Amino acid sequence: MTEHLAVPGGTIAYDLTGDGPLVVLAHGMGDSRRSYRFVVPALVAAGYRVANVDIRGCGDSGAEWSGYSRTDIAGDLVAVVRHLGGPAVIVGQSISGGAATIAAATAPELVAGVVEIAPFTRKQSVDVVGLLRNRRHRSATVQLGRVMATGSLAGWLAYLDIAYPTKPVDWAEERAHIEAVLSRPERMAALTGMTKTTPADAGARLPEVRQPVLVIEGGADPDWADPRAEGERVVADLPDGLGEVAVIAGAGHYPHAETPDAVLALVLPFLGRTLATTDGTTGA
C-alpha cells in the first residue's frame, strides 16, 4: 500500500514493506520508485524494513514544488526517516545520491550509512577530451542537453536508451510507463527543473559526512567518460576511510535495474556492517 507523508511544499509517496532495520530507497530524476522493483524483495527477504520513495515531482508524490535541489530532496528523505523511526541507510541513485550525502551530513542521528548509485554528488565540469573520445558519453550529454533546454521527451527517451546498455527484462513495458508519465506537463516540468540543478550543494557537504559510504558505479555509465574516476573523486572528498567504490562492469546509469543481483551482492554486506537490529545483530 502506498503511503503519503506531508512535508513542507507537498506530499512524498512511499511503499513500506518488511520488518527490521530501515533502508530508504530514492531514485533518480525522471523516474519513480518502480526503479527498485528488482531490489526490494531481496532486501525484505534479508530482514530489512524498506521504504521505497518517490522523490518530489515523481511517481505518486506531489507534482509541483518550488525547488528540486539535492538539499530539497534531502529534507524530504530525512522527514521520511524521522517519520518511520531511524536510523536508516539511505540508498540514493543519481540526483538522490547527492541528496543522501546531504541527509547524512545534516541528520547524522538518523542516517547510519549511505549507498550512492551512479551519483551526481560533485560539481561537474565539461570533460572535453572525454566527450571527444567517448561516443556514448557524447551522445548521452547531447540528449540531456535537449531535455534541459527544451523539456524534450524524445530527448529523455533517447538518453534512457543509451543509459541502459543492459536492458531489464521488462524494459519495453517500463519505458512505455516512463513515456506516459512524462507526457504529463507537470511531470516533465519536474524533470526539467532537476536537470537545471547543480550538485555543488552535495559536494560541499561531503567533508561533513561521518557515516560509511558505498559508491556504486556502472562501468558503462554514459554520464561520465570514466565512471570509476568519478566515484573515486566522491570518495576522495569524504573524510579518510569512510568511502569505498565498486564498479559493475557493463552496467550503465541504472545498475539497480540493469544488474540487480550485482548491486545486491554489494549492498547486502554493506547493510550488514552498517545497520544493527534492536538486539544488536545485523539484519542480513
Side-chain angles (χ1 to χ4, degrees):
M1 180 180 295
T2 302
E3 303 185 40
H4 293 82
L5 177 66
V7 299
T11 59
I12 298 298
Y14 63 92
D15 292 333
L16 185 65
T17 50
D19 295 296
L22 180 62
V23 179
V24 174
L25 307 178
H27 59 82
M29 64 178 71
D31 211 338
S32 73
R33 65 189 189 277
R34 291 165 59 111
S35 183
Y36 288 101
R37 61 196 179 280
F38 302 121
V39 172
V40 170
L43 293 177
V44 171
Y48 294 100
R49 183 170 50 126
V50 180
N52 192 12
V53 175
D54 281 331
I55 65 173
R56 57 173 53 201
C58 300
D60 292 319
S61 289
E64 298 179 4
W65 301 74
S66 61
Y68 296 97
S69 72
R70 287 152 183 79
T71 299
D72 294 327
I73 296 169
D76 300 336
L77 297 178
V78 168
V80 170
V81 177
R82 182 174 287 114
H83 175 70
L84 295 176
V89 165
I90 299 180
V91 180
Q93 187 254 340
S94 197
I95 192 172
S96 290
T101 294
I102 297 171
T106 57
E109 74 284 3
L110 294 175
V111 182
V114 172
V115 179
E116 303 194 21
I117 302 176
F120 277 93
T121 305
R122 298 172 57 260
K123 183 178 180 179
Q124 303 293 299
S125 57
V126 178
D127 181 355
V128 176
V129 174
L131 287 170
L132 292 174
R133 292 181 175 177
N134 188 320
R135 180 182 59 82
R136 294 185 68 256
H137 177 46
R138 184 169 63 252
S139 298
T141 301
V142 167
Q143 298 305 333
L144 286 175
R146 290 177 63 194
V147 178
M148 182 185 298
T150 67
S152 169
L153 176 56
W156 182 250
L157 295 174
Y159 163 76
L160 290 179
D161 287 336
I162 301 165
Y164 274 94
T166 303
K167 300 294 190 288
V169 294
D170 62 349
W171 178 236
E173 176 186 350
E174 187 63 19
R175 188 183 187 277
H177 173 78
I178 292 170
E179 182 175 10
V181 170
L182 293 179
S183 295
R184 297 161 58 184
E186 72 276 12
R187 296 300 180 182
M188 177 52 75
L191 168 57
T192 305
M194 290 182 193
T195 66
K196 296 177 181 179
T197 63
T198 169
D201 57 346
R205 305 304 296 270
L206 282 168
E208 302 173 37
V209 173
R210 295 295 179 265
Q211 304 91 324
V213 177
L214 170 63
V215 178
I216 300 175
E217 300 282 4
D221 190 333
D223 283 305
W224 295 278
D226 187 343
R228 178 185 289 276
E230 178 61 22
E232 290 174 346
R233 285 189 284 265
V234 171
V235 168
D237 287 343
L238 290 164
D240 289 346
L242 283 187
E244 57 181 309
V245 180
V247 178
I248 300 175
H253 195 59
Y254 300 86
H256 53 303
E258 299 173 67
T259 55
D261 290 344
V263 169
L264 287 163
L266 296 167
V267 170
L268 287 173
F270 179 84
L271 295 177
R273 297 191 300 270
T274 307
L275 279 176
T277 61
T278 55
D279 62 5
T281 62
T282 56

